[in-house]
């Protein structure tokens, strides 16, 4: 019987990319992936620790797995990723349920850790590394559409934003060799992929040094764009303190570098930004947005925002709202501040904004963003976009669905084109999440 592994992924795109690396490592060790949990001899959960509710979801899943394990005694369960790194051996205490705990830099050890678990021992490896980038590992693609894929270009983070657990669970920042990135992208293109997203917690600080030569992010992005004009290139996440004009000019020069920047502001108050240790002010952020609007007039912009960070006053909150109004974000991920153990904010500041106020501010922010994005969508009516087709629309088999360079979802009546092709679409109407048009 082949050994089957089922993997469930939570958290950010980095975890999605990591699960593909994990599958590759386990495939070489004789495991085959399954999408049917009941067939699996090994279940892995790739976890997230960013907010407490992300971890609560995992505890909830473990309750479900408890029943599976009762039915199937030799089933092995592994917790991998950020929560494994944060809680380490503590995860083994849960009802004797978890057999394997592996942090994000120890995936190469998975085959031996699984073997150890199969021999009846608990297996843990949560060592962080200064070098590991899994550069030589060719990920097993688990995406559904075969058109768009993530490519990890760096790991870890050196930024130490006061609220954030990522530097503790992902370790120090390190960049991956650009040659291995380019060969992975070429392979994706040859296999029919037409959209790659280069991933890192702070892509602007990508840097590969070899002897005298240094490859920074703008240069890497250009190299990827030159793989083929039919390949779209995206990236995430940019840090406002590091995003350079050189990068914006590189984006302007290449039609296939997508015109969308995810530029998390977190707050619109310089005082809060300072406490957050974001290393930029409201004015700096606004200046960067102006540069984007000047150099890349058709660029879409999105953000992450946190409400109710330590000491946030009504006035600070209003500054976040006014920044959002001013910037005109096409999209925003908005969160209530959640204190994470061990972070700088947890050690130094009091989590002093009451829960009801955090919630009220979040609702107000979401309402504003909904209004802004609806207004911006209206501006797209009558515009023409090149849409990369990703497949048949989820809502109706009569429609195809794809995305614009700006990362906006477009649906249009089905024609002879299929996924991986580009269609030129005139936008005729919009819903809250989607642009609807017809092929011209
Ligand atoms: N590297 C990226 C973001 C990583 S985490 C960046 O710097 O922008 C994704 C988002 O989660 C963050 O942008 C932030 O808005 C949010 N986040 C992180 N820690 C949080 C916390 N303790 N409470 C609430 N939101 C948090
Ligand atoms: Fe966290 Fe800041 Fe690093 Fe983003 S840049 S991962 S928010 S520490
Ligand atoms: Fe979560 Fe880890 Fe990503 S904490 S947001 S999965 S880097």
């Amino acid at each position: 019987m082949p050994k089957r592994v089922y993997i469930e992924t939570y958290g950010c795109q980095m975890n999605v990319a990591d699960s593909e690396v994990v599958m590759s490592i386990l495939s070489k060790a004789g495991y085959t992936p399954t999408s049917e949990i009941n067939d699996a001899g090994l279940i892995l959960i790739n976890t997230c620790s960013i907010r407490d509710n992300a971890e609560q979801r995992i505890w909830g899943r473990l309750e479900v797995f408890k029943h599976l394990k009762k039915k199937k005694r030799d089933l092995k369960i592994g917790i991998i990723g950020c929560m494994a790194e944060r809680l380490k051996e503590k995860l083994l205490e849960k009802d004797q349920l978890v057999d394997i705990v592996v942090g994000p830099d120890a995936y190469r050890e998975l085959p031996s850790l699984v073997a150890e678990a199969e021999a009846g021992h608990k297996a843990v490896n949560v060592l962080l590394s200064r070098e590991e980038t899994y550069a030589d590992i060719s990920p097993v693609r688990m995406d559904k559409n075969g058109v768009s894929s993530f490519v990890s270009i760096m790991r870890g983070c050196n930024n130490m934003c006061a609220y954030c657990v990522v530097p503790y669970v992902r370790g120090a920042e390190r960049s991956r060799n650009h040659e291995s990135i380019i060969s992975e992208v070429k392979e994706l293109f040859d296999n029919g992929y037409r959209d790659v997203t280069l991933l890192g917690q702070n892509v602007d600080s990508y840097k590969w040094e070899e002897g005298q030569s240094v490859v920074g992010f703008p240069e890497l992005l250009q190299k990827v764009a030159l793989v083929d004009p039919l390949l779209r290139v995206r990236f995430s996440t940019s840090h406002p303190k590091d995003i350079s004009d050189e990068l914006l000019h590189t984006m302007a020069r290449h039609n296939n570098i997508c015109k969308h920047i995810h530029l998390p502001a977190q707050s619109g108050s310089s005082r809060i930004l300072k406490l957050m240790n974001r290393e930029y002010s409201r004015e700096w952020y606004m200046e960067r947005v102006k540069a984007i609007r000047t150099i890349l007039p058709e660029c879409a912009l999105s953000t992450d925002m946190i409400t109710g960070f330590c000491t946030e006053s009504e006035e600070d909150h209003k500054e976040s709202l006014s920044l959002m109004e001013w910037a005109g974000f096409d999209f925003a991920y908005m969160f209530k501040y959640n204190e994470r153990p061990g972070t700088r904010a947890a050690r130094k500041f009091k989590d002093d904004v009451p829960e009801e106020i955090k919630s009220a501010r979040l609702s107000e922010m979401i309402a504003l963003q909904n209004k802004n994005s609806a207004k911006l969508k209206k501006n797209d009516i009558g515009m023409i976009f090149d849409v990369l087709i990703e497949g048949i629309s989820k809502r109706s088999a009569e429609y195809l669905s794809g995305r614009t360079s700006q990362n906006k979802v477009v649906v249009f009546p089905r024609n002879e084109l299929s996924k991986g092709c580009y269609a030129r679409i005139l936008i005729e109407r919009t819903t809250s999440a989607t642009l609807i048009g017809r092929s011209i």
Side-chain angles (χ1 to χ4, degrees):
M1 276 292 280
K3 300 184 275 187
R4 292 191 195 277
V5 52
Y6 173 88
I7 185 161
E8 211 165 88
T9 307
Y10 295 84
C12 65
Q13 298 162 338
M14 313 279 251
N15 262 11
V16 176
D18 279 4
S19 287
E20 298 187 332
V21 165
V22 163
M23 257 331 168
S24 172
I25 291 168
L26 285 173
S27 297
K28 290 218 174 73
Y31 274 84
T32 46
T34 173
S35 54
E36 185 41 66
I37 195 164
N38 292 307
D39 290 347
L42 171 65
I43 297 177
L44 295 178
I45 326 179
N46 195 357
T47 58
C48 174
S49 276
I50 200 80
R51 284 167 292 273
D52 185 56
N53 56 10
E55 291 193 354
Q56 291 310 323
R57 278 179 75 192
I58 308 295
W59 291 119
R61 280 306 276 163
L62 284 176
E63 284 302 319
V64 176
F65 295 162
K66 204 149 95 183
H67 299 292
L68 287 176
K69 207 161 179 173
K70 267 199 196 118
K71 279 192 278 177
K72 205 175 182 179
R73 294 232 155 254
D74 54 354
L75 174 68
K76 298 295 170 207
I77 294 178
I79 305 267
I80 65 173
C82 298
M83 191 173 164
E85 192 61 50
R86 198 179 83 76
L87 295 174
K88 305 185 170 57
E89 284 85 359
K90 278 188 214 135
L91 288 163
L92 299 176
E93 289 162 17
K94 165 98 185 154
D95 308 330
Q96 287 298 306
L97 184 67
V98 176
D99 305 287
I100 304 159
V101 176
V102 188
D105 285 347
Y107 296 147
R108 285 183 203 267
E109 300 305 317
L110 264 166
S112 63
L113 293 163
V114 173
E116 221 175 290
E118 278 170 352
H121 310 292
K122 299 285 180 191
V124 181
N125 189 333
V126 287
L127 287 177
L128 286 174
S129 154
R130 295 200 155 265
E131 287 95 32
E132 182 62 272
T133 58
Y134 302 109
D136 56 313
I137 292 178
S138 183
V140 172
R141 302 293 164 190
M142 292 190 289
D143 59 278
K144 308 253 165 13
N145 67 17
V147 177
S148 45
S149 184
F150 299 127
V151 174
S152 178
I153 64 163
M154 60 205 293
R155 301 181 71 82
C157 184
N158 282 353
N159 278 320
M160 295 293 169
C161 301
Y163 51 81
C164 185
V165 78
V166 170
Y168 304 90
V169 294
R170 290 255 160 191
E173 182 185 291
R174 64 222 98 124
S175 296
R176 174 179 171 190
N177 184 339
H178 62 100
E179 282 163 5
S180 79
I181 298 171
I182 300 299
S183 52
E184 187 176 329
V185 170
K186 282 191 174 143
E187 194 182 316
L188 282 167
F189 186 80
D190 291 342
N191 287 325
Y193 285 84
R194 292 293 176 265
D195 182 316
V196 293
T197 305
L198 308 180
L199 291 180
Q201 294 295 356
N202 180 7
V203 289
D204 307 277
S205 64
Y206 173 88
K207 197 172 175 191
W208 179 260
E209 283 170 291
E210 213 168 81
Q212 295 298 312
S213 84
V214 181
V215 176
F217 187 58
E219 202 179 334
L220 175 73
L221 191 60
Q222 168 151 309
K223 283 177 190 287
V224 176
L226 290 174
V227 165
D228 198 290
L230 283 177
L231 177 74
R232 277 187 170 175
V233 190
R234 303 177 184 278
F235 54 90
S236 188
T237 303
S238 294
H239 196 301
K241 78 176 162 65
D242 295 321
I243 188 167
S244 65
D245 284 355
E246 188 194 349
L247 175 74
L248 303 180
H249 288 299
T250 305
M251 290 176 74
R253 272 200 308 275
H254 297 271
N255 199 20
N256 60 332
I257 302 180
C258 288
K259 303 302 180 277
H260 168 224
I261 298 176
H262 185 60
L263 195 68
Q266 314 296 2
S267 169
S269 152
S270 293
R271 190 183 71 82
I272 294 292
L273 287 168
K274 189 150 197 216
L275 282 183
M276 286 177 163
N277 197 34
R278 287 289 286 179
E279 296 182 51
Y280 56 86
S281 62
R282 175 188 176 92
E283 291 68 35
W284 173 275
Y285 188 89
M286 290 173 79
E287 192 280 323
R288 290 290 74 204
V289 172
K290 280 185 201 154
I292 294 169
R293 299 290 186 223
T294 311
I295 299 168
L296 300 165
E298 80 279 37
C299 192
L301 202 58
S302 57
T303 191
D304 293 349
M305 298 296 285
I306 297 176
T307 67
F309 186 66
C310 314
T311 79
E312 187 189 69
S313 66
E314 199 52 37
E315 201 180 317
D316 295 317
H317 169 61
K318 287 278 179 302
E319 287 199 84
S320 289
L321 299 182
S322 70
L323 181 74
M324 292 174 82
E325 186 81 62
W326 175 85
F329 296 114
D330 296 273
F331 191 83
Y333 294 98
M334 295 159 280
F335 313 99
K336 275 191 280 191
Y337 171 59
N338 178 231
E339 186 178 88
R340 305 304 288 132
T343 55
R344 187 165 161 157
R347 283 182 279 121
K348 295 203 165 159
F349 314 131
K350 212 169 140 220
D351 180 13
D352 58 355
V353 177
E355 197 55 31
E356 322 75 86
I357 295 188
K358 284 182 185 170
S359 298
R361 287 181 187 165
L362 181 64
S363 306
E364 194 181 356
M365 190 178 267
I366 292 172
L368 172 74
Q369 179 56 34
N370 287 346
K371 194 187 79 189
N372 286 350
S373 58
K375 202 157 68 190
L376 285 168
K377 278 218 177 59
K378 288 261 152 21
N379 295 343
D380 288 333
I381 296 175
M383 305 266 280
I384 293 165
F385 291 105
D386 286 327
V387 173
L388 173 61
I389 302 172
E390 289 177 356
I392 290 168
S393 161
K394 270 181 245 139
R395 289 275 181 80
S396 157
E398 297 305 305
Y399 283 78
L400 291 173
S401 167
R403 276 182 297 158
T404 67
S405 168
Q406 290 76 5
N407 209 27
K408 295 176 187 175
V409 176
V410 175
V411 300
F412 59 95
R414 205 166 162 175
N415 54 20
E416 72 290 349
L417 295 175
S418 60
K419 68 179 181 184
C421 298
Y422 288 92
R424 181 150 285 193
I425 304 295
L426 170 69
I427 304 303
E428 295 179 315
R429 54 202 174 88
T430 73
T431 68
S432 62
T434 314
L435 304 175
I436 303 161
R438 69 179 158 85
S439 172
I440 51 167

